[in-house]
Amino acid sequence: MKSHTLLMPLDMHLHLRDGVMLENVAPLSAYSFSGAIVMPNLVPPVENKEDVIAYKERIMAAVPNDSFEPYMTLFYKNYDKAFLESVADEINAIKLYPAGITTNSEGGVSSFDIEEMRPTLQAMSDMGIPLCVHGETDGFVMDREAEFMSIYELLASNFPKLKIIMEHITTKEAVDMLDRFDNLYATITVHHLILTLDDVVGGMMKPHLFCKPIAKRPEDLDALLSVALAAHPKVMFGSDSAPHPQHKKESCGCAAGIFTAPIALQLLCEIFEQFDKLDNLQAFVSDNAQSIYGICPEFKEVTLEHRPFTVPSDYNGVVPMYAGETLSWAIESVD
Ligand code: NCD
Ligand code: ZN
């Protein structure tokens, strides 16, 4: 049987939530990933040192001993340098959300006044703290990411030494930015390597395929595939796995977010194999992220096998992408 081994897979954009949901989903990521950049959009968001330390402890308590490294982040605010110096050892990045653009982003940035942001961004640049950005405007839903490119330009050119990570990119416009600015990087989800808007709303509406940013056009999908499959050194896998309880997804007013953590590696094998690029998957799911973030995760070896795997209907009330469907790769062992 055909198998494929991945070393120290990393998920560079993960929502673990808190409380009962954290206890439910954290072990699923810890099983197959060595570590993850953990998103801070709790209610209230993670925005001080005590919050970061306490949240990290809750994550560690929710996963089997030493099996998983949570790389912590703060919710972006115009922090001063002294504060950043005091918290730098506890975090791997700061995550910027435009206000109101996605789940739990109400306290995000409402205007991109570079001069107001300069002290914080310059300090982050000097201290080597990456800025992760949810790059969407509040414009027409299909244009939100493309409209945000001018803000990326502004950020990248004003802070040329600041590592800026365009999170969960979904458009050709964002892919093109990678080669225009040395300091722009990107994460790509697994669902955005599969879906277009047609899959979400072209037939019956699929709430479990609904997320922000929404999946775009076929030409955007092609552009994302081209850099992911080539393991472009500036792109990393970040699932944006975003669990919501079933009743929040299957309701009028469906919450944005796709739950993929337990099926991500299986799906990635399927995609990379389909394009005969399995050899590039290691760089996409770990090596690029290690170089970009300068991290060195604990050893973990995940072996997948080419055999049918039926996705569970739910994980304690959280419905994953492709629930009940059969994938062509399964996790065989984790050492
Ligand atoms: C995320 C969530 O549910 O927290 N939702 C989503 O659709 N991706 C928030 C986010 O990352 O935008
Ligand atoms: Zn996210």
Side-chain angles (χ1 to χ4, degrees), residues 56-80:
K56 184 169 184 175
E57 279 170 5
R58 295 198 296 280
I59 296 168
M60 296 307 280
V63 301
N65 283 347
D66 297 333
S67 61
F68 182 73
E69 177 74 29
Y71 297 105
M72 304 306 291
T73 62
L74 276 177
F75 197 83
Y76 182 90
K77 298 236 158 119
N78 289 334
Y79 297 114
D80 63 31

mmCIF file with all atom_site columns, all heavy atoms in Angstrom, residues 56-80:
data_model
loop_
_atom_site.group_PDB
_atom_site.id
_atom_site.type_symbol
_atom_site.label_atom_id
_atom_site.label_alt_id
_atom_site.label_comp_id
_atom_site.label_asym_id
_atom_site.label_entity_id
_atom_site.label_seq_id
_atom_site.pdbx_PDB_ins_code
_atom_site.Cartn_x
_atom_site.Cartn_y
_atom_site.Cartn_z
_atom_site.occupancy
_atom_site.B_iso_or_equiv
_atom_site.pdbx_formal_charge
_atom_site.auth_seq_id
_atom_site.auth_comp_id
_atom_site.auth_asym_id
_atom_site.auth_atom_id
_atom_site.pdbx_PDB_model_num
ATOM 1   N N   . LYS A 1 56 ? -2.270 29.624 27.119 1.00 0.00 ? 56 LYS A N   1
ATOM 2   C CA  . LYS A 1 56 ? -1.331 28.555 26.769 1.00 0.00 ? 56 LYS A CA  1
ATOM 3   C C   . LYS A 1 56 ? -1.434 27.400 27.771 1.00 0.00 ? 56 LYS A C   1
ATOM 4   O O   . LYS A 1 56 ? -1.442 26.228 27.388 1.00 0.00 ? 56 LYS A O   1
ATOM 5   C CB  . LYS A 1 56 ? 0.099  29.091 26.723 1.00 0.00 ? 56 LYS A CB  1
ATOM 6   C CG  . LYS A 1 56 ? 1.099  28.048 26.262 1.00 0.00 ? 56 LYS A CG  1
ATOM 7   C CD  . LYS A 1 56 ? 2.456  28.656 25.966 1.00 0.00 ? 56 LYS A CD  1
ATOM 8   C CE  . LYS A 1 56 ? 3.397  27.594 25.416 1.00 0.00 ? 56 LYS A CE  1
ATOM 9   N NZ  . LYS A 1 56 ? 4.676  28.139 24.998 1.00 0.00 ? 56 LYS A NZ  1
ATOM 10  N N   . GLU A 1 57 ? -1.569 27.746 29.047 1.00 0.00 ? 57 GLU A N   1
ATOM 11  C CA  . GLU A 1 57 ? -1.699 26.688 30.067 1.00 0.00 ? 57 GLU A CA  1
ATOM 12  C C   . GLU A 1 57 ? -2.977 25.879 29.856 1.00 0.00 ? 57 GLU A C   1
ATOM 13  O O   . GLU A 1 57 ? -2.984 24.659 30.010 1.00 0.00 ? 57 GLU A O   1
ATOM 14  C CB  . GLU A 1 57 ? -1.666 27.295 31.474 1.00 0.00 ? 57 GLU A CB  1
ATOM 15  C CG  . GLU A 1 57 ? -0.243 27.578 31.913 1.00 0.00 ? 57 GLU A CG  1
ATOM 16  C CD  . GLU A 1 57 ? -0.150 28.394 33.202 1.00 0.00 ? 57 GLU A CD  1
ATOM 17  O OE1 . GLU A 1 57 ? -1.207 28.664 33.828 1.00 0.00 ? 57 GLU A OE1 1
ATOM 18  O OE2 . GLU A 1 57 ? 0.982  28.764 33.561 1.00 0.00 ? 57 GLU A OE2 1
ATOM 19  N N   . ARG A 1 58 ? -4.063 26.569 29.490 1.00 0.00 ? 58 ARG A N   1
ATOM 20  C CA  . ARG A 1 58 ? -5.324 25.827 29.262 1.00 0.00 ? 58 ARG A CA  1
ATOM 21  C C   . ARG A 1 58 ? -5.186 24.905 28.050 1.00 0.00 ? 58 ARG A C   1
ATOM 22  O O   . ARG A 1 58 ? -5.725 23.803 28.026 1.00 0.00 ? 58 ARG A O   1
ATOM 23  C CB  . ARG A 1 58 ? -6.494 26.806 29.083 1.00 0.00 ? 58 ARG A CB  1
ATOM 24  C CG  . ARG A 1 58 ? -6.797 27.628 30.337 1.00 0.00 ? 58 ARG A CG  1
ATOM 25  C CD  . ARG A 1 58 ? -8.190 28.244 30.300 1.00 0.00 ? 58 ARG A CD  1
ATOM 26  N NE  . ARG A 1 58 ? -8.400 29.224 29.239 1.00 0.00 ? 58 ARG A NE  1
ATOM 27  C CZ  . ARG A 1 58 ? -8.006 30.502 29.267 1.00 0.00 ? 58 ARG A CZ  1
ATOM 28  N NH1 . ARG A 1 58 ? -7.317 30.961 30.303 1.00 0.00 ? 58 ARG A NH1 1
ATOM 29  N NH2 . ARG A 1 58 ? -8.279 31.321 28.266 1.00 0.00 ? 58 ARG A NH2 1
ATOM 30  N N   . ILE A 1 59 ? -4.442 25.379 27.031 1.00 0.00 ? 59 ILE A N   1
ATOM 31  C CA  . ILE A 1 59 ? -4.235 24.520 25.845 1.00 0.00 ? 59 ILE A CA  1
ATOM 32  C C   . ILE A 1 59 ? -3.400 23.301 26.234 1.00 0.00 ? 59 ILE A C   1
ATOM 33  O O   . ILE A 1 59 ? -3.747 22.164 25.902 1.00 0.00 ? 59 ILE A O   1
ATOM 34  C CB  . ILE A 1 59 ? -3.550 25.319 24.707 1.00 0.00 ? 59 ILE A CB  1
ATOM 35  C CG1 . ILE A 1 59 ? -4.452 26.451 24.228 1.00 0.00 ? 59 ILE A CG1 1
ATOM 36  C CG2 . ILE A 1 59 ? -3.192 24.375 23.546 1.00 0.00 ? 59 ILE A CG2 1
ATOM 37  C CD1 . ILE A 1 59 ? -3.752 27.465 23.329 1.00 0.00 ? 59 ILE A CD1 1
ATOM 38  N N   . MET A 1 60 ? -2.319 23.549 26.966 1.00 0.00 ? 60 MET A N   1
ATOM 39  C CA  . MET A 1 60 ? -1.444 22.436 27.358 1.00 0.00 ? 60 MET A CA  1
ATOM 40  C C   . MET A 1 60 ? -2.203 21.420 28.217 1.00 0.00 ? 60 MET A C   1
ATOM 41  O O   . MET A 1 60 ? -1.978 20.211 28.117 1.00 0.00 ? 60 MET A O   1
ATOM 42  C CB  . MET A 1 60 ? -0.220 22.945 28.131 1.00 0.00 ? 60 MET A CB  1
ATOM 43  C CG  . MET A 1 60 ? 0.712  23.837 27.330 1.00 0.00 ? 60 MET A CG  1
ATOM 44  S SD  . MET A 1 60 ? 1.258  23.108 25.786 1.00 0.00 ? 60 MET A SD  1
ATOM 45  C CE  . MET A 1 60 ? 2.552  22.028 26.381 1.00 0.00 ? 60 MET A CE  1
ATOM 46  N N   . ALA A 1 61 ? -3.119 21.925 29.042 1.00 0.00 ? 61 ALA A N   1
ATOM 47  C CA  . ALA A 1 61 ? -3.892 21.019 29.891 1.00 0.00 ? 61 ALA A CA  1
ATOM 48  C C   . ALA A 1 61 ? -4.884 20.196 29.069 1.00 0.00 ? 61 ALA A C   1
ATOM 49  O O   . ALA A 1 61 ? -5.318 19.131 29.497 1.00 0.00 ? 61 ALA A O   1
ATOM 50  C CB  . ALA A 1 61 ? -4.647 21.825 30.958 1.00 0.00 ? 61 ALA A CB  1
ATOM 51  N N   . ALA A 1 62 ? -5.229 20.692 27.874 1.00 0.00 ? 62 ALA A N   1
ATOM 52  C CA  . ALA A 1 62 ? -6.239 20.006 27.059 1.00 0.00 ? 62 ALA A CA  1
ATOM 53  C C   . ALA A 1 62 ? -5.638 18.962 26.118 1.00 0.00 ? 62 ALA A C   1
ATOM 54  O O   . ALA A 1 62 ? -6.371 18.208 25.487 1.00 0.00 ? 62 ALA A O   1
ATOM 55  C CB  . ALA A 1 62 ? -7.027 21.053 26.246 1.00 0.00 ? 62 ALA A CB  1
ATOM 56  N N   . VAL A 1 63 ? -4.307 18.943 25.994 1.00 0.00 ? 63 VAL A N   1
ATOM 57  C CA  . VAL A 1 63 ? -3.685 17.983 25.066 1.00 0.00 ? 63 VAL A CA  1
ATOM 58  C C   . VAL A 1 63 ? -2.838 16.982 25.846 1.00 0.00 ? 63 VAL A C   1
ATOM 59  O O   . VAL A 1 63 ? -2.349 17.292 26.940 1.00 0.00 ? 63 VAL A O   1
ATOM 60  C CB  . VAL A 1 63 ? -2.806 18.695 23.994 1.00 0.00 ? 63 VAL A CB  1
ATOM 61  C CG1 . VAL A 1 63 ? -3.635 19.675 23.186 1.00 0.00 ? 63 VAL A CG1 1
ATOM 62  C CG2 . VAL A 1 63 ? -1.604 19.388 24.605 1.00 0.00 ? 63 VAL A CG2 1
ATOM 63  N N   . PRO A 1 64 ? -2.648 15.778 25.275 1.00 0.00 ? 64 PRO A N   1
ATOM 64  C CA  . PRO A 1 64 ? -1.786 14.804 25.954 1.00 0.00 ? 64 PRO A CA  1
ATOM 65  C C   . PRO A 1 64 ? -0.383 15.385 26.159 1.00 0.00 ? 64 PRO A C   1
ATOM 66  O O   . PRO A 1 64 ? 0.083  16.186 25.345 1.00 0.00 ? 64 PRO A O   1
ATOM 67  C CB  . PRO A 1 64 ? -1.750 13.631 24.977 1.00 0.00 ? 64 PRO A CB  1
ATOM 68  C CG  . PRO A 1 64 ? -2.966 13.798 24.121 1.00 0.00 ? 64 PRO A CG  1
ATOM 69  C CD  . PRO A 1 64 ? -3.235 15.268 24.057 1.00 0.00 ? 64 PRO A CD  1
ATOM 70  N N   . ASN A 1 65 ? 0.265  14.972 27.241 1.00 0.00 ? 65 ASN A N   1
ATOM 71  C CA  . ASN A 1 65 ? 1.554  15.537 27.653 1.00 0.00 ? 65 ASN A CA  1
ATOM 72  C C   . ASN A 1 65 ? 2.565  15.755 26.532 1.00 0.00 ? 65 ASN A C   1
ATOM 73  O O   . ASN A 1 65 ? 2.888  14.834 25.806 1.00 0.00 ? 65 ASN A O   1
ATOM 74  C CB  . ASN A 1 65 ? 2.217  14.610 28.692 1.00 0.00 ? 65 ASN A CB  1
ATOM 75  C CG  . ASN A 1 65 ? 1.567  14.804 30.034 1.00 0.00 ? 65 ASN A CG  1
ATOM 76  O OD1 . ASN A 1 65 ? 0.830  15.769 30.211 1.00 0.00 ? 65 ASN A OD1 1
ATOM 77  N ND2 . ASN A 1 65 ? 1.820  13.890 30.953 1.00 0.00 ? 65 ASN A ND2 1
ATOM 78  N N   . ASP A 1 66 ? 3.060  16.984 26.430 1.00 0.00 ? 66 ASP A N   1
ATOM 79  C CA  . ASP A 1 66 ? 4.197  17.305 25.563 1.00 0.00 ? 66 ASP A CA  1
ATOM 80  C C   . ASP A 1 66 ? 4.030  16.876 24.109 1.00 0.00 ? 66 ASP A C   1
ATOM 81  O O   . ASP A 1 66 ? 5.013  16.659 23.418 1.00 0.00 ? 66 ASP A O   1
ATOM 82  C CB  . ASP A 1 66 ? 5.491  16.653 26.100 1.00 0.00 ? 66 ASP A CB  1
ATOM 83  C CG  . ASP A 1 66 ? 5.846  17.192 27.471 1.00 0.00 ? 66 ASP A CG  1
ATOM 84  O OD1 . ASP A 1 66 ? 5.457  18.340 27.750 1.00 0.00 ? 66 ASP A OD1 1
ATOM 85  O OD2 . ASP A 1 66 ? 6.493  16.454 28.246 1.00 0.00 ? 66 ASP A OD2 1
ATOM 86  N N   . SER A 1 67 ? 2.811  16.727 23.646 1.00 0.00 ? 67 SER A N   1
ATOM 87  C CA  . SER A 1 67 ? 2.646  16.218 22.291 1.00 0.00 ? 67 SER A CA  1
ATOM 88  C C   . SER A 1 67 ? 2.484  17.342 21.274 1.00 0.00 ? 67 SER A C   1
ATOM 89  O O   . SER A 1 67 ? 2.425  17.095 20.080 1.00 0.00 ? 67 SER A O   1
ATOM 90  C CB  . SER A 1 67 ? 1.427  15.307 22.225 1.00 0.00 ? 67 SER A CB  1
ATOM 91  O OG  . SER A 1 67 ? 0.270  16.039 22.569 1.00 0.00 ? 67 SER A OG  1
ATOM 92  N N   . PHE A 1 68 ? 2.434  18.581 21.748 1.00 0.00 ? 68 PHE A N   1
ATOM 93  C CA  . PHE A 1 68 ? 1.986  19.654 20.862 1.00 0.00 ? 68 PHE A CA  1
ATOM 94  C C   . PHE A 1 68 ? 2.476  20.989 21.404 1.00 0.00 ? 68 PHE A C   1
ATOM 95  O O   . PHE A 1 68 ? 2.364  21.254 22.604 1.00 0.00 ? 68 PHE A O   1
ATOM 96  C CB  . PHE A 1 68 ? 0.456  19.625 20.857 1.00 0.00 ? 68 PHE A CB  1
ATOM 97  C CG  . PHE A 1 68 ? -0.214 20.630 19.968 1.00 0.00 ? 68 PHE A CG  1
ATOM 98  C CD1 . PHE A 1 68 ? -0.198 20.483 18.586 1.00 0.00 ? 68 PHE A CD1 1
ATOM 99  C CD2 . PHE A 1 68 ? -0.898 21.707 20.521 1.00 0.00 ? 68 PHE A CD2 1
ATOM 100 C CE1 . PHE A 1 68 ? -0.851 21.403 17.774 1.00 0.00 ? 68 PHE A CE1 1
ATOM 101 C CE2 . PHE A 1 68 ? -1.553 22.621 19.712 1.00 0.00 ? 68 PHE A CE2 1
ATOM 102 C CZ  . PHE A 1 68 ? -1.529 22.459 18.336 1.00 0.00 ? 68 PHE A CZ  1
ATOM 103 N N   . GLU A 1 69 ? 3.005  21.828 20.513 1.00 0.00 ? 69 GLU A N   1
ATOM 104 C CA  . GLU A 1 69 ? 3.478  23.148 20.937 1.00 0.00 ? 69 GLU A CA  1
ATOM 105 C C   . GLU A 1 69 ? 2.504  24.222 20.451 1.00 0.00 ? 69 GLU A C   1
ATOM 106 O O   . GLU A 1 69 ? 2.380  24.440 19.246 1.00 0.00 ? 69 GLU A O   1
ATOM 107 C CB  . GLU A 1 69 ? 4.876  23.408 20.345 1.00 0.00 ? 69 GLU A CB  1
ATOM 108 C CG  . GLU A 1 69 ? 5.460  24.768 20.642 1.00 0.00 ? 69 GLU A CG  1
ATOM 109 C CD  . GLU A 1 69 ? 5.956  24.935 22.090 1.00 0.00 ? 69 GLU A CD  1
ATOM 110 O OE1 . GLU A 1 69 ? 6.358  23.919 22.701 1.00 0.00 ? 69 GLU A OE1 1
ATOM 111 O OE2 . GLU A 1 69 ? 5.926  26.075 22.580 1.00 0.00 ? 69 GLU A OE2 1
ATOM 112 N N   . PRO A 1 70 ? 1.799  24.898 21.362 1.00 0.00 ? 70 PRO A N   1
ATOM 113 C CA  . PRO A 1 70 ? 0.977  26.019 20.924 1.00 0.00 ? 70 PRO A CA  1
ATOM 114 C C   . PRO A 1 70 ? 1.847  27.266 20.779 1.00 0.00 ? 70 PRO A C   1
ATOM 115 O O   . PRO A 1 70 ? 2.460  27.712 21.747 1.00 0.00 ? 70 PRO A O   1
ATOM 116 C CB  . PRO A 1 70 ? -0.042 26.199 22.055 1.00 0.00 ? 70 PRO A CB  1
ATOM 117 C CG  . PRO A 1 70 ? 0.410  25.339 23.187 1.00 0.00 ? 70 PRO A CG  1
ATOM 118 C CD  . PRO A 1 70 ? 1.691  24.655 22.807 1.00 0.00 ? 70 PRO A CD  1
ATOM 119 N N   . TYR A 1 71 ? 1.964  27.781 19.581 1.00 0.00 ? 71 TYR A N   1
ATOM 120 C CA  . TYR A 1 71 ? 2.686  29.036 19.348 1.00 0.00 ? 71 TYR A CA  1
ATOM 121 C C   . TYR A 1 71 ? 1.668  30.158 19.504 1.00 0.00 ? 71 TYR A C   1
ATOM 122 O O   . TYR A 1 71 ? 0.711  30.242 18.729 1.00 0.00 ? 71 TYR A O   1
ATOM 123 C CB  . TYR A 1 71 ? 3.318  29.038 17.953 1.00 0.00 ? 71 TYR A CB  1
ATOM 124 C CG  . TYR A 1 71 ? 4.357  27.942 17.772 1.00 0.00 ? 71 TYR A CG  1
ATOM 125 C CD1 . TYR A 1 71 ? 4.081  26.806 17.025 1.00 0.00 ? 71 TYR A CD1 1
ATOM 126 C CD2 . TYR A 1 71 ? 5.612  28.055 18.371 1.00 0.00 ? 71 TYR A CD2 1
ATOM 127 C CE1 . TYR A 1 71 ? 5.021  25.796 16.873 1.00 0.00 ? 71 TYR A CE1 1
ATOM 128 C CE2 . TYR A 1 71 ? 6.559  27.045 18.225 1.00 0.00 ? 71 TYR A CE2 1
ATOM 129 C CZ  . TYR A 1 71 ? 6.257  25.925 17.469 1.00 0.00 ? 71 TYR A CZ  1
ATOM 130 O OH  . TYR A 1 71 ? 7.186  24.923 17.323 1.00 0.00 ? 71 TYR A OH  1
ATOM 131 N N   . MET A 1 72 ? 1.877  30.986 20.532 1.00 0.00 ? 72 MET A N   1
ATOM 132 C CA  . MET A 1 72 ? 0.831  31.913 20.956 1.00 0.00 ? 72 MET A CA  1
ATOM 133 C C   . MET A 1 72 ? 0.884  33.256 20.206 1.00 0.00 ? 72 MET A C   1
ATOM 134 O O   . MET A 1 72 ? 1.948  33.685 19.751 1.00 0.00 ? 72 MET A O   1
ATOM 135 C CB  . MET A 1 72 ? 0.939  32.158 22.463 1.00 0.00 ? 72 MET A CB  1
ATOM 136 C CG  . MET A 1 72 ? 0.892  30.887 23.307 1.00 0.00 ? 72 MET A CG  1
ATOM 137 S SD  . MET A 1 72 ? -0.564 29.842 22.992 1.00 0.00 ? 72 MET A SD  1
ATOM 138 C CE  . MET A 1 72 ? -1.863 30.878 23.677 1.00 0.00 ? 72 MET A CE  1
ATOM 139 N N   . THR A 1 73 ? -0.274 33.904 20.135 1.00 0.00 ? 73 THR A N   1
ATOM 140 C CA  . THR A 1 73 ? -0.384 35.209 19.473 1.00 0.00 ? 73 THR A CA  1
ATOM 141 C C   . THR A 1 73 ? -1.206 36.154 20.339 1.00 0.00 ? 73 THR A C   1
ATOM 142 O O   . THR A 1 73 ? -1.978 35.716 21.185 1.00 0.00 ? 73 THR A O   1
ATOM 143 C CB  . THR A 1 73 ? -1.079 35.091 18.109 1.00 0.00 ? 73 THR A CB  1
ATOM 144 O OG1 . THR A 1 73 ? -2.415 34.602 18.296 1.00 0.00 ? 73 THR A OG1 1
ATOM 145 C CG2 . THR A 1 73 ? -0.341 34.142 17.174 1.00 0.00 ? 73 THR A CG2 1
ATOM 146 N N   . LEU A 1 74 ? -1.032 37.444 20.076 1.00 0.00 ? 74 LEU A N   1
ATOM 147 C CA  . LEU A 1 74 ? -1.836 38.479 20.715 1.00 0.00 ? 74 LEU A CA  1
ATOM 148 C C   . LEU A 1 74 ? -2.739 39.103 19.664 1.00 0.00 ? 74 LEU A C   1
ATOM 149 O O   . LEU A 1 74 ? -2.356 39.197 18.489 1.00 0.00 ? 74 LEU A O   1
ATOM 150 C CB  . LEU A 1 74 ? -0.935 39.611 21.208 1.00 0.00 ? 74 LEU A CB  1
ATOM 151 C CG  . LEU A 1 74 ? -0.225 39.548 22.532 1.00 0.00 ? 74 LEU A CG  1
ATOM 152 C CD1 . LEU A 1 74 ? 0.650  40.803 22.661 1.00 0.00 ? 74 LEU A CD1 1
ATOM 153 C CD2 . LEU A 1 74 ? -1.212 39.489 23.695 1.00 0.00 ? 74 LEU A CD2 1
ATOM 154 N N   . PHE A 1 75 ? -3.873 39.588 20.100 1.00 0.00 ? 75 PHE A N   1
ATOM 155 C CA  . PHE A 1 75 ? -4.780 40.354 19.252 1.00 0.00 ? 75 PHE A CA  1
ATOM 156 C C   . PHE A 1 75 ? -4.151 41.731 19.034 1.00 0.00 ? 75 PHE A C   1
ATOM 157 O O   . PHE A 1 75 ? -3.727 42.374 19.998 1.00 0.00 ? 75 PHE A O   1
ATOM 158 C CB  . PHE A 1 75 ? -6.099 40.489 20.026 1.00 0.00 ? 75 PHE A CB  1
ATOM 159 C CG  . PHE A 1 75 ? -7.297 40.870 19.236 1.00 0.00 ? 75 PHE A CG  1
ATOM 160 C CD1 . PHE A 1 75 ? -8.031 39.916 18.544 1.00 0.00 ? 75 PHE A CD1 1
ATOM 161 C CD2 . PHE A 1 75 ? -7.755 42.189 19.227 1.00 0.00 ? 75 PHE A CD2 1
ATOM 162 C CE1 . PHE A 1 75 ? -9.181 40.251 17.848 1.00 0.00 ? 75 PHE A CE1 1
ATOM 163 C CE2 . PHE A 1 75 ? -8.896 42.535 18.528 1.00 0.00 ? 75 PHE A CE2 1
ATOM 164 C CZ  . PHE A 1 75 ? -9.611 41.572 17.842 1.00 0.00 ? 75 PHE A CZ  1
ATOM 165 N N   . TYR A 1 76 ? -4.055 42.195 17.773 1.00 0.00 ? 76 TYR A N   1
ATOM 166 C CA  . TYR A 1 76 ? -3.365 43.473 17.512 1.00 0.00 ? 76 TYR A CA  1
ATOM 167 C C   . TYR A 1 76 ? -4.089 44.662 18.124 1.00 0.00 ? 76 TYR A C   1
ATOM 168 O O   . TYR A 1 76 ? -5.289 44.857 17.937 1.00 0.00 ? 76 TYR A O   1
ATOM 169 C CB  . TYR A 1 76 ? -3.217 43.725 15.999 1.00 0.00 ? 76 TYR A CB  1
ATOM 170 C CG  . TYR A 1 76 ? -2.465 45.014 15.743 1.00 0.00 ? 76 TYR A CG  1
ATOM 171 C CD1 . TYR A 1 76 ? -1.085 45.014 15.621 1.00 0.00 ? 76 TYR A CD1 1
ATOM 172 C CD2 . TYR A 1 76 ? -3.139 46.246 15.700 1.00 0.00 ? 76 TYR A CD2 1
ATOM 173 C CE1 . TYR A 1 76 ? -0.384 46.202 15.452 1.00 0.00 ? 76 TYR A CE1 1
ATOM 174 C CE2 . TYR A 1 76 ? -2.446 47.441 15.529 1.00 0.00 ? 76 TYR A CE2 1
ATOM 175 C CZ  . TYR A 1 76 ? -1.071 47.402 15.407 1.00 0.00 ? 76 TYR A CZ  1
ATOM 176 O OH  . TYR A 1 76 ? -0.389 48.579 15.246 1.00 0.00 ? 76 TYR A OH  1
ATOM 177 N N   . LYS A 1 77 ? -3.332 45.475 18.816 1.00 0.00 ? 77 LYS A N   1
ATOM 178 C CA  . LYS A 1 77 ? -3.748 46.816 19.251 1.00 0.00 ? 77 LYS A CA  1
ATOM 179 C C   . LYS A 1 77 ? -2.510 47.685 19.080 1.00 0.00 ? 77 LYS A C   1
ATOM 180 O O   . LYS A 1 77 ? -1.419 47.150 18.904 1.00 0.00 ? 77 LYS A O   1
ATOM 181 C CB  . LYS A 1 77 ? -4.101 46.818 20.740 1.00 0.00 ? 77 LYS A CB  1
ATOM 182 C CG  . LYS A 1 77 ? -5.247 45.947 21.124 1.00 0.00 ? 77 LYS A CG  1
ATOM 183 C CD  . LYS A 1 77 ? -6.276 46.792 21.828 1.00 0.00 ? 77 LYS A CD  1
ATOM 184 C CE  . LYS A 1 77 ? -7.621 46.148 21.758 1.00 0.00 ? 77 LYS A CE  1
ATOM 185 N NZ  . LYS A 1 77 ? -8.137 45.844 23.075 1.00 0.00 ? 77 LYS A NZ  1
ATOM 186 N N   . ASN A 1 78 ? -2.656 48.985 19.215 1.00 0.00 ? 78 ASN A N   1
ATOM 187 C CA  . ASN A 1 78 ? -1.476 49.844 19.141 1.00 0.00 ? 78 ASN A CA  1
ATOM 188 C C   . ASN A 1 78 ? -0.722 49.782 20.474 1.00 0.00 ? 78 ASN A C   1
ATOM 189 O O   . ASN A 1 78 ? -0.794 50.682 21.293 1.00 0.00 ? 78 ASN A O   1
ATOM 190 C CB  . ASN A 1 78 ? -1.851 51.275 18.762 1.00 0.00 ? 78 ASN A CB  1
ATOM 191 C CG  . ASN A 1 78 ? -2.295 51.368 17.303 1.00 0.00 ? 78 ASN A CG  1
ATOM 192 O OD1 . ASN A 1 78 ? -1.891 50.545 16.471 1.00 0.00 ? 78 ASN A OD1 1
ATOM 193 N ND2 . ASN A 1 78 ? -3.120 52.342 16.990 1.00 0.00 ? 78 ASN A ND2 1
ATOM 194 N N   . TYR A 1 79 ? -0.009 48.666 20.674 1.00 0.00 ? 79 TYR A N   1
ATOM 195 C CA  . TYR A 1 79 ? 0.742  48.442 21.916 1.00 0.00 ? 79 TYR A CA  1
ATOM 196 C C   . TYR A 1 79 ? 2.008  49.296 21.923 1.00 0.00 ? 79 TYR A C   1
ATOM 197 O O   . TYR A 1 79 ? 2.571  49.577 20.863 1.00 0.00 ? 79 TYR A O   1
ATOM 198 C CB  . TYR A 1 79 ? 1.182  46.978 22.012 1.00 0.00 ? 79 TYR A CB  1
ATOM 199 C CG  . TYR A 1 79 ? 0.058  45.970 22.073 1.00 0.00 ? 79 TYR A CG  1
ATOM 200 C CD1 . TYR A 1 79 ? -0.138 45.067 21.026 1.00 0.00 ? 79 TYR A CD1 1
ATOM 201 C CD2 . TYR A 1 79 ? -0.789 45.907 23.180 1.00 0.00 ? 79 TYR A CD2 1
ATOM 202 C CE1 . TYR A 1 79 ? -1.160 44.119 21.086 1.00 0.00 ? 79 TYR A CE1 1
ATOM 203 C CE2 . TYR A 1 79 ? -1.804 44.959 23.241 1.00 0.00 ? 79 TYR A CE2 1
ATOM 204 C CZ  . TYR A 1 79 ? -1.988 44.076 22.197 1.00 0.00 ? 79 TYR A CZ  1
ATOM 205 O OH  . TYR A 1 79 ? -2.983 43.148 22.247 1.00 0.00 ? 79 TYR A OH  1
ATOM 206 N N   . ASP A 1 80 ? 2.506  49.656 23.126 1.00 0.00 ? 80 ASP A N   1
ATOM 207 C CA  . ASP A 1 80 ? 3.779  50.387 23.145 1.00 0.00 ? 80 ASP A CA  1
ATOM 208 C C   . ASP A 1 80 ? 4.950  49.403 23.281 1.00 0.00 ? 80 ASP A C   1
ATOM 209 O O   . ASP A 1 80 ? 4.773  48.228 23.580 1.00 0.00 ? 80 ASP A O   1
ATOM 210 C CB  . ASP A 1 80 ? 3.804  51.483 24.223 1.00 0.00 ? 80 ASP A CB  1
ATOM 211 C CG  . ASP A 1 80 ? 3.692  50.933 25.633 1.00 0.00 ? 80 ASP A CG  1
ATOM 212 O OD1 . ASP A 1 80 ? 4.156  49.804 25.886 1.00 0.00 ? 80 ASP A OD1 1
ATOM 213 O OD2 . ASP A 1 80 ? 3.128  51.634 26.492 1.00 0.00 ? 80 ASP A OD2 1
#
